[in-house]
Amino acid sequence: MKQLNGNKQMKDVWKLPAIAKWEKSCGKHPTQKPLAVLTRIILASTKPNAWILDPFAGSSTTGTTANLLGRRYLGIDMETEFLEISKNRKLEIQNETIAETYRKKINGFETKKQLELYLTEEPKAKEKVALGYIRSKDLAKLKTQNTFYFHSTDKQNNFLEFPYDLYNAEKLVIYSGGRKKAFHLTTYFGNIKSIKHKHKSKIKGKEDSKTDYYFEVKLKDNFSEDISIENNTNIKKWMKEYSDEYKLKSLNYLPVLTFTENVF
């Protein structure tokens, strides 16, 4: 916040411009907020690529601002009329020329280029990769598959202490080992297309499973091999770092999130 205020402590009373006409190009909401207000709040409290949840979205000023600043957004609202405005605002800023114009128009900064410079200098989020476990004897089957499943409940159907940060992963890399062998990375990986939470009744071949819920990871293509992936045995270390960060008891055989630079 000091960076946005000439390196001085930000006061708790903000003087910002009222909402401008161009901010209502997709329709009007009775309590719509200026983009300038949400810009300051979002920059003060989030990092690039962060998720922002707004359970009372209105016309999604928070979402519009989030997307303009390189954040992700999930909005909820009861009113269809306002959801339509939200969707139109989202479609509008998918045009990068319009998005750039809006970023330049947002007021509340010392200079016209301050926001642009701030976003340029803001540390970019590191790409994350998920590590998925498979038994050694099943590795050969991966080349014909583009789907992978993570358990999200145990055999008693209690939800596991699961790292939901999985949704931020760009790639899935397979690890193996366990029991009497050390965990190690394999050369199998895939680029993640989508991740969905599913009940076993919706998954072919798992209808009779003792586990009720799974995370279904769809890849853009079938698994392939990359020989540059080293047979790394730091997985236990990454598990501990990840479980400490999220206060999880154990991640054995569960997905582990680490940074791409650790793997490739």
Side-chain angles (χ1 to χ4, degrees):
M1 294 187 79
K2 284 184 177 180
Q3 277 184 271
L4 300 174
N5 195 43
N7 290 320
K8 298 177 183 177
Q9 184 69 36
M10 181 80 74
K11 293 183 178 181
D12 55 4
V13 175
W14 297 348
K15 294 181 180 180
L16 294 167
I19 189 168
K21 286 184 178 180
W22 59 269
E23 296 182 53
K24 299 180 180 180
S25 59
C26 295
K28 297 179 181 180
H29 186 280
T31 61
Q32 189 170 330
K33 311 297 185 294
L35 288 170
V37 173
L38 273 303
T39 296
R40 184 172 289 183
I41 292 170
I42 289 170
L43 290 180
S45 59
T46 66
K47 295 178 181 179
N49 212 37
W51 274 102
I52 296 171
L53 170 66
D54 183 358
F56 307 97
S59 59
S60 293
T61 297
T62 301
T64 302
T65 311
N67 290 170
L68 288 172
L69 301 179
R71 275 72 171 165
R72 292 177 288 180
Y73 174 76
L74 176 61
I76 302 166
D77 204 276
M78 291 176 64
E79 300 295 333
T80 304
E81 176 189 355
F82 299 143
L83 289 173
E84 286 300 319
I85 295 175
S86 294
K87 287 193 288 185
N88 290 333
R89 294 183 83 181
K90 170 67 173 176
L91 291 170
E92 185 179 53
I93 62 170
Q94 284 181 341
N95 181 319
E96 185 51 40
T97 301
I98 293 175
E100 186 58 33
T101 300
Y102 283 6
R103 278 190 284 267
K104 288 178 180 177
K105 283 185 174 184
I106 294 173
N107 288 313
F109 297 93
E110 294 180 303
T111 66
K112 288 186 176 180
K113 291 192 173 182
Q114 189 179 10
L115 176 59
E116 180 184 353
L117 290 171
Y118 185 89
L119 293 176
T120 301
E121 294 172 0
E122 208 176 27
K124 298 296 182 264
K126 290 183 179 180
E127 186 181 79
K128 289 188 177 179
V129 58
L131 307 181
Y133 176 79
I134 198 168
R135 294 176 298 181
S136 298
K137 66 178 184 179
D138 294 325
L139 285 171
K141 301 175 185 176
L142 286 176
K143 283 192 175 181
T144 61
Q145 298 176 8
N146 68 346
T147 307
F148 191 84
Y149 291 96
F150 289 121
H151 292 251
S152 65
T153 55
D154 59 22
K155 291 180 180 179
Q156 288 72 45
N157 292 314
N158 300 309
F159 278 92
L160 299 166
E161 295 177 298
F162 194 91
Y164 281 83
D165 207 22
L166 173 66
Y167 285 105
N168 291 326
E170 302 288 336
K171 289 182 171 61
L172 171 63
V173 174
I174 299 300
Y175 74 97
S176 194
R179 299 188 185 278
K180 294 181 180 180
K181 295 182 179 179
F183 288 127
H184 63 275
L185 293 182
T186 72
T187 54
Y188 289 92
F189 86 101
N191 295 306
I192 295 174
K193 180 181 180 181
S194 64
I195 300 172
K196 294 181 180 178
H197 200 215
K198 285 191 171 183
H199 188 265
K200 64 182 182 182
S201 62
K202 303 293 183 181
I203 304 171
K204 187 176 180 180
K206 293 190 181 293
E207 296 89 346
D208 298 325
S209 172
K210 292 180 180 179
T211 301
D212 269 6
Y213 284 92
Y214 291 83
F215 280 89
E216 180 184 77
V217 181
K218 285 281 187 183
L219 304 178
K220 294 177 181 177
D221 299 293
N222 287 352
F223 277 98
S224 56
E225 288 192 85
D226 185 340
I227 58 173
S228 69
I229 300 175
E230 298 180 9
N231 190 0
N232 201 315
T233 55
N234 283 329
I235 297 173
K236 274 287 188 182
K237 176 187 173 186
W238 297 336
M239 283 180 179
K240 186 176 187 315
E241 289 173 352
Y242 203 72
S243 59
D244 287 349
E245 181 181 355
Y246 286 89
K247 296 180 174 58
L248 306 172
K249 292 178 182 177
S250 173
L251 283 175
N252 286 2
Y253 307 105
L254 292 176
V256 181
L257 268 289
T258 188
F259 296 117
T260 303
E261 62 196 43
N262 289 339
V263 176
F264 290 91

